[in-house]
Amino acid sequence: MTYARFLGLFVVLPVLFLMWRYRRTFNAWSLAPMGLLLVVVYAATSPWDNLAVKWGLWGFDPERIWGIKLGYLPLEEYLFFGLQTLLVGLWARARLARALAKEPAVSKPARGEAPSRGGELTAREVSP
């Protein structure tokens, strides 16, 4: 399998699904922090990844990449940095929006016990 096909199947398709599924909850303002996150990811990942390939710690099969390299890394590796960050960021943003939208669960008092009032402890709850 080529690197591009891997990205398409396992990263691009899930990103597109998340964007479609949560399209009503995403807007430019809610996604803006991801731009900053992408800058941090590229700045932090590119140098050490380039060095690792240069030093022979790992490499890329020329038969499985497009052949376009920036430094020692193929273009697909740079796409992976960004697309994976978007995938995790979109998923986390969607989960956070869903969690914040839920009403807090109200616990039911035990049988014969008076309901608690707005976070205040009753005498029964305070006494040992």
Side-chain angles (χ1 to χ4, degrees):
M1 177 182 291
T2 65
Y3 201 161
R5 183 169 289 166
F6 174 86
L7 288 175
L9 289 173
F10 298 107
V11 185
V12 173
L13 286 178
V15 165
L16 293 174
F17 171 76
L18 285 172
M19 290 176 72
W20 174 80
R21 171 67 176 86
Y22 296 105
R23 66 191 176 278
R24 291 186 178 99
T25 63
F26 296 142
N27 59 39
W29 184 248
S30 71
L31 296 177
M34 250 183 280
L36 178 61
L37 184 58
L38 284 168
V39 169
V40 170
V41 164
Y42 278 105
T45 309
S46 296
W48 70 265
D49 210 12
N50 267 288
L51 284 174
V53 172
K54 179 182 178 181
W55 293 339
L57 298 176
W58 66 77
F60 299 92
D61 183 358
E63 299 289 321
R64 297 177 189 258
I65 61 173
W66 290 329
I68 303 168
K69 287 190 175 184
L70 303 168
Y72 293 93
L73 301 177
L75 179 60
E76 294 94 331
E77 182 73 354
Y78 287 103
L79 290 173
F80 176 76
F81 297 163
L83 290 169
Q84 189 66 25
T85 301
L86 287 175
L87 177 61
V88 173
L90 289 170
W91 177 82
R93 173 69 180 88
R95 297 297 299 158
L96 181 61
R98 186 174 177 182
L100 293 175
K102 285 186 178 179
E103 291 292 323
V106 177
S107 61
K108 291 184 178 182
R111 187 177 191 141
E113 192 175 293
S116 182
R117 295 174 302 278
E120 297 175 12
L121 297 176
T122 62
R124 185 177 210 176
E125 294 168 328
V126 173
S127 64

